[in-house]
Amino acid sequence: ESSGNSEKVLKPKQTFSQGESVRIIEGPFDSFTGTIEEINLEKGKLRVMVGIFGRSTPVEVDFLQVEKI
């Protein structure tokens, strides 16, 4: 009965760790760089602290929207 596909776990192509610097390569914050503050493996999202107008601002992005620097 169970096909085994009920749980889709996104395996990121790259692994991330807190405090790591990344560049956003997609979306409204394209080309911004920031530091990973939080990693949400279940949702496949990262919270990245990005400097906008001289202030650190948390931005939520998908794993696929960032690359390691």
Side-chain angles (χ1 to χ4, degrees):
E1 208 172 291
S2 174
S3 62
N5 281 347
S6 58
E7 273 190 59
K8 281 211 164 77
V9 178
L10 267 151
K11 285 256 193 297
K13 290 180 181 69
Q14 43 193 348
T15 55
F16 299 103
S17 51
Q18 270 181 315
E20 211 166 24
S21 292
V22 292
R23 179 182 294 111
I24 300 173
I25 54 172
E26 207 180 278
F29 299 98
D30 183 20
S31 80
F32 277 89
T33 56
T35 308
I36 297 174
E37 188 182 65
E38 196 179 299
I39 302 160
N40 188 328
L41 288 173
E42 292 82 49
K43 291 183 181 165
K45 291 192 180 292
L46 300 168
R47 183 180 298 141
V48 180
M49 291 304 281
V50 180
I52 301 174
F53 306 125
R55 294 172 57 191
S56 254
T57 307
V59 174
E60 194 168 75
V61 292
D62 291 337
F63 285 167
L64 302 172
Q65 290 181 292
V66 296
E67 66 181 11
K68 289 185 183 186
I69 298 176

